[in-house]
Amino acid sequence: MADGGCAAINTKIEEGEGGYILEDVPHLTDYLPSLLTYPNPLQDNPAYSVVKQYFVDVDDTVAQKIVVHKNGDRGIHFRRAGPRQKVYFKSDEVHACIVTCGGLCPGLNTVIREIVCGLHYMYGVSKIIGIDGGYMGFYSKNTVTLTPKVVNDIHKRGGTVLGTSRGGHDTSKIVDSIQDRGINQVYVIGGDGTQKGAAVIYEEVRRRGLKVSVAGIPKTIDNDIPAQRAINAAHVEAESTENGIGVVKLMGRYSGFIAMYATLASRDVDCCLIPESPFFLEGKGGLFQFIRKRLKENGHMVIVIAEGAGQDLLTESMQSMGQQDASGNKQLQDVGFWISHRIKDHFAKEHNMAITLKYIDPTYMIRAIPGNASDNVYCTLLAQSAVHGAMAGYTGFTCGPVNGRHSYIPFNRITEKQNKVVITDRMWARLLSSTNQPSFL
């Protein structure tokens, strides 16, 4: 089975009073009912001696929606992350592995560090390895021994010390390698495609009846500081010349969250273009007309565009004709480069208007830097939540915050659809109000 697609996972649903629904994550005992349990070593850990309540209650769940109506259903909940009173692995029996896949983002090394330190210092685990080079590293490359000493300073570096790659997902070979090496906890760090791969690994592990916990840790690219610097540079360049235009391309293949929040944080942006909100160039109400209006008003302007925006406007000759990269992502053309040339050509031909346009693409500067302070705190919580979940016997899950509380979320909820900006929501309305740009509808 050489498949990176998402397998069909049967969601565990538990219903309660008042329309309460728990979308639970799989547990090893779902298919290995006779597993022994052991007291959680945290109860003897001096670091936790100051905590009033060591363990998360077995029934603790987190509501998906924080705003509810008086007579409405309680709605969907997820299992709360955290340490449990009983664990399903003896510390000296754990053989854990960590793998990073897909593109880079700040904080990958922090997650690696905190998984290693969490396993070692909280649970007394000493056998931890890193898989070199993404999914294909399971069966084609060497492993790296990971100890707290080895990972001590890696959070100060960008990228991933384990290396990464796209594709290379041969499920049978990966699970064969997991079996051959005696691995019983798998920590997979990556984005949507990576989590889909982890879901398929979990399904194969379950089919074989292996006592192996598979935990996903999502990547986060929430590093606004470099994005703000790029926007500021574009603004300085634009306002320093007559009819100056600064174009900044930010990450967002399918979603405009990064572009939207960077725009709202900046206040220097005149127009934000995202994949969820179609726009057009020519004619009344189009982008070119808005640019001309804004240049007449202010003498300069800044445009932020997400990398996936406007792909439908690129001519067929420029499009990649549905080609995909090794992770199955559609290969996109550089929309920032394309739109910069269209703007320059339009004003040279249609209005005989001299403009000075600067195009800035900070993508790799943002992706390749170390995590900042808030990144590191967030990554620590993700890593420790994953460790607690795996030790407690949960599997087939990814961890993440739900209304401010870290939770265990089934793989199928992560991989079922892209998280996108809702352009009929208040946040997009706030952006339109901030930039005073047209909606292009």
Side-chain angles (χ1 to χ4, degrees):
M1 182 169 67
D3 182 11
C6 185
I9 299 176
N10 295 322
T11 306
K12 292 171 64 178
I13 300 292
E14 181 181 319
E15 297 184 3
E17 295 181 0
Y20 171 93
I21 299 173
L22 170 63
E23 290 197 13
D24 206 356
V25 296
H27 195 274
L28 292 173
T29 55
D30 293 345
Y31 61 95
L32 297 172
S34 301
L35 290 180
L36 299 176
T37 61
Y38 311 96
N40 193 320
L42 278 178
Q43 64 189 16
D44 302 317
N45 190 313
Y48 271 69
S49 62
V50 297
V51 180
K52 290 182 180 178
Q53 184 179 349
Y54 281 6
F55 305 114
V56 171
D57 190 280
V58 68
D59 293 324
D60 279 2
T61 60
V62 181
Q64 181 181 24
K65 289 187 177 180
I66 199 167
V67 178
V68 295
H69 296 287
K70 180 180 178 181
N71 299 318
D73 291 342
R74 292 175 64 190
I76 294 172
H77 291 63
F78 298 105
R79 190 164 292 282
R80 184 183 175 190
R84 264 59 182 177
Q85 194 162 7
K86 296 290 184 182
V87 295
Y88 283 77
F89 295 92
K90 282 185 176 179
S91 300
D92 58 359
E93 292 177 350
V94 173
H95 188 187
C97 76
I98 306 170
V99 63
T100 53
C101 306
L104 300 179
C105 77
L108 293 176
N109 283 332
T110 305
V111 175
I112 295 168
R113 182 188 191 277
E114 297 309 320
I115 292 173
V116 173
C117 291
L119 283 168
H120 184 90
Y121 291 122
M122 291 192 293
Y123 288 100
V125 173
S126 58
K127 289 186 287 187
I128 311 166
I129 60 172
I131 304 299
D132 184 12
Y135 276 136
M136 68 179 66
F138 274 101
Y139 52 84
S140 66
K141 293 194 176 184
N142 294 327
T143 60
V144 181
T145 300
L146 299 175
T147 65
K149 185 175 181 180
V150 169
V151 301
N152 186 49
D153 291 324
I154 64 172
H155 62 292
K156 299 174 184 176
R157 288 185 261 165
T160 164
V161 295
L162 298 180
T164 185
S165 64
R166 294 192 183 277
H169 193 285
D170 188 316
T171 309
S172 292
K173 286 184 178 180
I174 289 171
V175 179
D176 286 346
S177 175
I178 289 169
Q179 277 190 275
D180 293 344
R181 297 177 189 275
I183 292 168
N184 51 22
Q185 290 185 10
V186 180
Y187 296 92
V188 181
I189 308 168
D192 291 342
T194 301
Q195 302 300 317
K196 288 177 183 177
V200 180
I201 291 170
Y202 156 72
E203 284 292 332
E204 179 64 10
V205 163
R206 178 170 181 155
R207 190 186 69 80
R208 298 188 190 187
L210 305 178
K211 185 187 174 184
V212 177
S213 282
V214 181
I217 299 94
K219 287 188 307 191
T220 171
I221 304 178
D222 194 25
N223 202 320
D224 291 333
I225 295 174
Q228 293 304 306
R229 288 174 179 162
I231 292 171
N232 182 60
H235 182 248
V236 170
E237 289 283 351
E239 69 175 355
S240 298
T241 59
E242 184 179 2
N243 294 328
I245 301 175
V247 176
V248 179
K249 185 184 76 173
L250 295 178
M251 289 163 291
R253 183 180 291 271
Y254 304 109
S255 170
F257 275 106
I258 294 172
M260 179 175 72
Y261 281 106
T263 295
L264 282 168
S266 169
R267 305 299 185 196
D268 285 332
V269 179
D270 297 276
C271 186
C272 177
L273 304 172
I274 62 172
E276 297 90 334
S277 183
F279 63 95
F280 58 98
L281 302 179
E282 312 273 358
K284 186 177 180 180
L287 180 63
F288 291 154
Q289 185 186 65
F290 175 64
I291 292 173
R292 190 164 187 242
K293 176 175 176 285
R294 190 52 59 92
L295 290 177
K296 282 190 171 183
E297 292 172 347
N298 297 340
H300 64 273
M301 75 175 297
V302 174
I303 300 170
V304 166
I305 185 165
E307 63 180 319
Q311 292 291 322
D312 56 321
L313 299 179
L314 274 69
T315 59
E316 193 174 63
S317 62
M318 289 185 66
Q319 288 182 356
S320 52
M321 303 301 289
Q323 292 179 3
Q324 296 180 335
D325 64 20
S327 293
N329 298 313
K330 181 181 176 183
Q331 288 187 337
L332 302 180
Q333 297 295 330
D334 188 341
V335 71
F337 182 78
W338 170 80
I339 205 166
S340 297
H341 277 272
R342 286 299 308 269
I343 292 170
K344 286 190 281 190
D345 289 346
H346 173 82
F347 282 94
K349 294 175 183 176
E350 300 294 325
H351 300 290
N352 196 24
M353 185 176 179
I355 64 168
T356 302
L357 188 146
K358 303 292 185 184
Y359 170 44
I360 298 174
D361 179 359
T363 301
Y364 295 104
M365 292 176 63
I366 294 173
R367 286 175 30 157
I369 65 173
N372 60 25
S374 60
D375 289 331
N376 285 335
V377 172
Y378 179 56
C379 291
T380 298
L381 294 175
L382 287 176
Q384 291 190 1
S385 293
V387 168
H388 291 316
M391 289 298 297
Y394 293 110
T395 182
F397 71 89
T398 192
C399 48
V402 176
N403 288 325
R405 295 284 186 178
H406 278 249
S407 308
Y408 298 134
I409 305 166
F411 276 140
N412 64 297
R413 285 303 300 266
I414 297 298
T415 60
E416 66 185 354
K417 64 179 181 179
Q418 298 281 340
N419 191 19
K420 295 191 175 186
V421 173
V422 179
I423 62 172
T424 55
D425 206 355
R426 285 191 180 90
M427 191 58 76
W428 185 244
R430 292 183 184 113
L431 181 139
L432 295 178
S433 175
S434 172
T435 61
N436 200 27
Q437 70 186 67
S439 63
F440 300 112
L441 295 177

